[in-house]
């Protein structure tokens, strides 16, 4: 007996409106994991083939993209919070809380990456030539 692939599991899920909040969060986590796995797949023919040096983004571009993604996440969480407080019936409190937590975690991760980059830069600058 083979285990179901993640894509088969996603296709067979029930309607999100009938899920409990914990099932919905688990579903989101599985979806994020599948997206990250697909992005990290480096086989030839996939979107991230590291054989070409011209296609590799610089550290500045990568940090800029990460900052923009964190900013978008924070804006989304802020708009959901505002819509919820204004009484939008399409926004539930668990959705708002999940969006705010994603925003917080992404900002903290971004801050840690920045701190590690600065630490590495300082180490390199202090190396004797």
């Amino acid at each position: 007996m083979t285990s179901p692939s993640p894509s088969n599991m996603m296709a067979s899920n029930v309607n999100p409106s009938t899920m409990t909040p914990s099932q919905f969060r688990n579903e989101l986590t599985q979806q994020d994991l599948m997206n990250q796995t697909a992005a990290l797949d480096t086989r030839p023919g996939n979107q991230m083939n590291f054989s070409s040096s011209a296609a590799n983004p610089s550290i500045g571009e990568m940090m800029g993209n990460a900052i923009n993604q964190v900013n978008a996440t924070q804006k989304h969480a802020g708009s959901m919070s505002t819509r919820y407080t204004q009484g939008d019936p399409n926004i539930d409190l668990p959705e708002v809380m999940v969006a705010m937590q994603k925003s917080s975690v992404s900002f903290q991760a971004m801050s840690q990456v920045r701190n590690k980059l600065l630490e590495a830069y300082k180490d390199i600058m202090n190396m004797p030539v």
Side-chain angles (χ1 to χ4, degrees):
M1 178 176 198
T2 61
S3 63
S5 69
S7 60
N8 290 342
M9 288 172 41
M10 293 298 292
S12 66
N13 284 337
V14 295
N15 186 353
S17 63
T18 62
M19 293 181 183
T20 65
S22 63
Q23 289 173 329
F24 186 72
R25 282 191 301 273
N26 188 29
E27 185 67 30
L28 288 175
T29 304
Q30 289 177 356
Q31 183 73 30
D32 291 340
L33 180 62
M34 288 187 338
N35 291 341
Q36 290 172 359
T37 303
L40 293 175
D41 193 359
T42 58
R43 288 178 288 182
N46 286 343
Q47 62 189 11
M48 290 183 64
N49 186 357
F50 293 108
S51 63
S52 172
S53 63
N56 291 338
S58 70
I59 291 176
E61 290 172 349
M62 289 171 42
M63 285 298 291
N65 290 339
I67 290 170
N68 290 337
Q69 287 177 342
V70 169
N71 186 36
T73 304
Q74 289 179 332
K75 283 183 178 180
H76 176 69
S79 71
M80 286 187 72
S81 175
T82 302
R83 288 172 52 196
Y84 179 77
T85 56
Q86 291 175 347
D88 188 344
N90 297 326
I91 304 295
D92 294 328
L93 182 59
E95 289 179 291
V96 175
M97 297 307 293
V98 167
M100 292 178 79
Q101 285 298 315
K102 281 184 178 182
S103 169
S104 176
V105 168
S106 65
F107 182 76
Q108 290 173 359
M110 174 66 183
S111 297
Q112 291 298 319
V113 169
R114 183 208 59 188
N115 292 343
K116 290 293 182 180
L117 282 172
L118 287 174
E119 185 178 318
Y121 177 76
K122 288 178 185 176
D123 289 345
I124 291 170
M125 294 307 291
N126 289 331
M127 286 182 178
V129 179

